[in-house]
Amino acid sequence: MPTNDPGDTTTGLILTGGGARAAYQVGVLKAIAQVRRECCVVTTNPFPVIAGTSAGAINAAALACRADDFDLAVSNLVRVWESFRAEQVYRADSLGVISTGARWLTMMSIGWLIARWRKARPRSLLDNTPLHSMLHEMVPIERLPRMMSEKHLQALAVTASSYGSGLHVTFYESVHDIVPWTRSQRIAVRGPLSLAHLLASSAIPFLFPAVPLEMSGNTEYYGDGSMRQSAPISPAVHLGARRILVVGAGRMHEPPGKRVGSGDYPSLAQIAGHALASIFLDALAVDVERLQRINQTLSVLTKEQQGATTLRPIDVLVIAPSQRLDDLAAQHQGSLPAPIRAMLRGLGVTGEGADARGAALSSYLLFESAYTQPLIELGVADTLSRRNEVIRFFGWDRQPSSEQPMPA
């Protein structure tokens, strides 16, 4: 992972994917804003480099577009996520469910009978048209160029996965002239970011429809950026970050002790939830371990050996949920709109609390305040429990009244 000037301490932020689970990120950011105020730090933006994936891309863009006032940006995110309703993200009314989810399930069961009727083929389980309108209010994307020209922000990146080429693509804007990078099965593309990039990055496979984006003069359909994302920390490093805060949307490690599973044949919901966990969670844990190994290797090299490589140590702080979000979602499955519950019942999502089934899947769809508020509270609690680590990471114990300015 090549980096810029070794004297540079540019801080990056990585916000991962996870649908409704991304409320946890907002809690972490809320706590960081609180600690920052308590340390009397007065500069505008603690994260010159911001990168996001899936729902994390939406949160990342919302922060970046208000980089001139970090506290205001965070409070706006908190306001949105604390009062979330599923109908703000996808159609949750009976007619909307019938036109997408019900048809989708029908196609799975008797699709061979009606395959000739192309108009009957829905593109996803849910219709996320309401999210289009919400993004216009939540993410003032037109402010992004000004945030960079006024040096409140150094770079923003969002990722998506092309269904056509199979490539994992990082779309980015940057103040500095950073050459797009290419790795196996993943590339970077520089250019103006739009709300369409956020919709593409957050298009969870099967749940939300793919989004067309233009790249190199060709139009391809893109889905959730967590798919095929083998190195989620990489964009922030390429964009110049030397220390990186990573906010996960699921437990990085399971608690000790044996977790008893069910002996019943898995429902479609269980299988889907397991697949989504693989998409959203596994790559991050692997990438963090890889970065830690690189840091350990560099620490034993001589200065001469370090000078012969482009690799530099990256200071990483990972904050991830201390509780299983599946278990938290199980307590609130009844908060889903009735038409959505009826549709998901066909996939095996049933019950609530101890009787809940399929909570792994519903944890990504529970855009309801009954679920998002506890997630925000968990993010706040987890971060404040590591308050001293956070302060040391940012150097706020050494510079209580200022932060290092963004490189010119």
Side-chain angles (χ1 to χ4, degrees), residues 32 43 117 135 153 160 178 206 264 271 299 309 315 333 354 378 393 398 405:
I32 288 173
T43 51
W117 301 336
L135 286 181
L153 182 72
I178 296 175
F206 302 112
D264 298 333
I271 295 172
S299 68
T309 177
D315 187 10
Q333 284 191 159
L378 180 62
F393 173 79
R398 300 185 300 274

Side-chain angles (χ1 to χ4, degrees), residues 322-354:
S322 59
Q323 300 177 22
R324 285 179 57 89
L325 301 192
D326 297 5
D327 296 341
L328 189 58
Q331 301 173 27
H332 300 287
Q333 284 191 159
S335 300
L336 284 166
I340 298 297
R341 293 202 308 272
M343 179 190 67
L344 293 179
R345 195 175 299 122
L347 297 175
V349 178
T350 60
E352 192 171 34

